[in-house]
Amino acid sequence: MQKIISITLSFIILISLISLTIVINFNIMINSKTINKIASNINYLDLINIKMKENELKETYDSLYLSLQQGGISKETIEEVYKQDFFQKITAKIIDVESNYLLTGKNLKTYTITDLNQIIEEDIQKMSKLSEEEKQTIITILHHSSSKILTIENIIRSNINNISSNKLKIIHYLLSSKFKVILLCLIIISILLQLMINKEKLLPYIFIPTIICSILELFISIFTPHILFSNISNKFLQTILFPYLQYFLTNLLFISLILLGISVIYLMANESIVIKEKNKIKPKLKGKKLADI
């Protein structure tokens, strides 16, 4: 009975630890600073050249490039426009607003047409190689395209709203602070109960589930991209999401390696202590047997 309870508590530690590390990593990933940092590393011009069947999201995104092209702006100048902060800022804002809405239920403030036009003007004015006339032409074209950027956000929001409300509530709860506290309490309570039940053999019942957790998270880090992207047919969406998934999996891999390292060290130290204790007991037993003879 004692062993069954101990194994059950170890299983609770395992599940709670896996859930807690994954939830914490999701919360880190959807932080505004993290989203901005990752968004700055995406090449937005490459998103135009993805060969795929047209869909509403990509068609709207491509229309921004086409509007500049049709406005008589040279290819070299368009490339310079795409290297400015404008696309990084709007992409980061859209991902920040919509990921928080999807994962936590928060309605963050999005850009308005006025905000977008202001960002456009600030960024284009920084392009020192262009004449004032060229700058004004680009600003005018992008001003006319500002509504298309909001259309991109509306497309994503409508897709999120197509998910059933019950599923969204479950997602919001799993990423809430309340759920993290529950998981942490489960881990602490399970460890305390293990301490009461298994005073001498405590470490294996705690660190074996930790090692299993680490190994499972290693597998998640390695195989998730293939599994996830094989189920996402939208290559445009894949390209945008991949840097964020990579960041999440890198953090998960790092945490799993730390947990694995700590667990192995503790188990090795525990085994070393057990061996030393056995070696101390053996001479005493031999001495006792000789005394009895």
Side-chain angles (χ1 to χ4, degrees):
M1 188 64 183
Q2 180 181 332
K3 195 169 184 179
I4 293 171
I5 294 170
S6 299
I7 292 170
T8 303
L9 290 171
S10 294
F11 184 73
I12 291 170
I13 293 171
L14 171 64
I15 299 300
S16 299
L17 196 58
I18 291 172
S19 303
L20 187 61
T21 51
I22 289 174
V23 167
I24 288 172
N25 269 295
F26 263 116
N27 285 125
I28 292 170
M29 188 182 67
I30 60 174
N31 179 275
S32 296
K33 289 182 180 179
T34 304
I35 288 171
N36 279 302
K37 181 183 175 182
I38 299 170
S40 64
N41 296 322
I42 297 172
N43 189 331
Y44 297 97
L45 195 60
D46 285 349
L47 296 175
I48 303 294
N49 301 319
I50 296 173
K51 293 179 181 179
M52 59 172 289
K53 293 178 181 178
E54 289 295 334
N55 61 66
E56 193 179 5
L57 189 63
K58 188 173 189 300
E59 190 177 342
T60 306
Y61 183 83
D62 286 353
S63 66
L64 296 170
Y65 183 92
L66 291 171
S67 62
L68 289 168
Q69 203 174 49
Q70 290 164 1
I73 309 300
S74 67
K75 184 181 177 182
E76 292 75 17
T77 304
I78 293 174
E79 287 177 1
E80 287 301 312
V81 170
Y82 271 80
K83 288 177 184 177
Q84 303 306 305
D85 294 336
F86 174 67
F87 287 95
Q88 178 259 316
K89 287 176 182 175
I90 60 171
T91 304
K93 175 60 78 173
I94 290 171
I95 292 173
D96 188 19
V97 171
E98 298 310 320
S99 64
N100 270 280
Y101 178 72
L102 170 64
L103 299 173
T104 66
K106 293 178 182 176
N107 266 309
L108 302 180
K109 186 182 177 183
T110 189
Y111 284 138
T112 62
I113 292 288
T114 305
D115 295 329
L116 291 170
N117 289 341
Q118 187 176 345
I119 294 168
I120 289 167
E121 289 172 20
E122 288 174 355
D123 267 17
I124 302 305
Q125 289 298 341
K126 292 176 186 175
M127 299 175 70
S128 56
K129 293 181 182 180
L130 299 179
S131 65
E132 282 302 316
E133 186 179 349
E134 287 176 312
K135 287 179 183 178
Q136 286 305 316
T137 302
I138 294 169
I139 288 169
T140 302
I141 293 169
L142 290 177
H143 276 185
H144 284 290
S145 302
S146 294
S147 59
K148 295 175 183 176
I149 294 163
L150 296 181
T151 301
I152 291 172
E153 192 162 4
N154 290 334
I155 293 167
I156 297 169
R157 179 61 64 94
S158 65
N159 287 330
I160 294 171
N161 286 333
N162 285 334
I163 302 170
S164 70
S165 59
N166 288 332
K167 286 181 180 178
L168 286 175
K169 284 177 183 177
I170 291 169
I171 293 169
H172 299 163
Y173 181 76
L174 291 176
L175 290 172
S176 66
S177 298
K178 185 180 179 180
F179 186 64
K180 289 197 286 286
V181 171
I182 290 170
L183 291 173
L184 191 59
C185 289
L186 282 172
I187 293 169
I188 293 169
I189 291 167
S190 297
I191 291 171
L192 291 173
L193 290 172
Q194 291 282 29
L195 182 62
M196 291 168 62
I197 298 168
N198 303 288
K199 292 182 180 179
E200 293 180 359
K201 296 181 180 180
L202 174 67
L203 289 179
Y205 283 110
I206 294 175
F207 288 106
I208 287 175
T210 309
I211 290 173
I212 295 171
C213 167
S214 304
I215 293 169
L216 286 173
E217 288 182 351
L218 282 172
F219 276 103
I220 291 169
S221 302
I222 295 166
F223 295 110
T224 296
H226 175 72
I227 295 168
L228 183 64
F229 287 145
S230 63
N231 293 313
I232 298 178
S233 58
N234 191 330
K235 300 295 180 185
F236 176 76
L237 198 59
Q238 276 189 26
T239 307
I240 294 174
L241 292 179
F242 181 74
Y244 293 91
L245 179 65
Q246 193 175 37
Y247 179 88
F248 169 79
L249 294 176
T250 302
N251 278 355
L252 194 64
L253 178 66
F254 182 68
I255 289 171
S256 66
L257 289 173
I258 290 173
L259 288 174
L260 184 61
I262 292 170
S263 302
V264 170
I265 289 168
Y266 267 94
L267 284 174
M268 287 173 66
N270 182 59
E271 189 64 26
S272 177
I273 291 167
V274 170
I275 291 169
K276 284 180 181 179
E277 288 296 322
K278 284 181 180 178
N279 290 335
K280 285 179 182 179
I281 292 168
K282 281 180 182 178
K284 289 179 181 179
L285 289 172
K286 286 180 180 179
K288 188 178 179 182
K289 284 179 180 179
L290 289 170
D292 290 341
I293 294 168

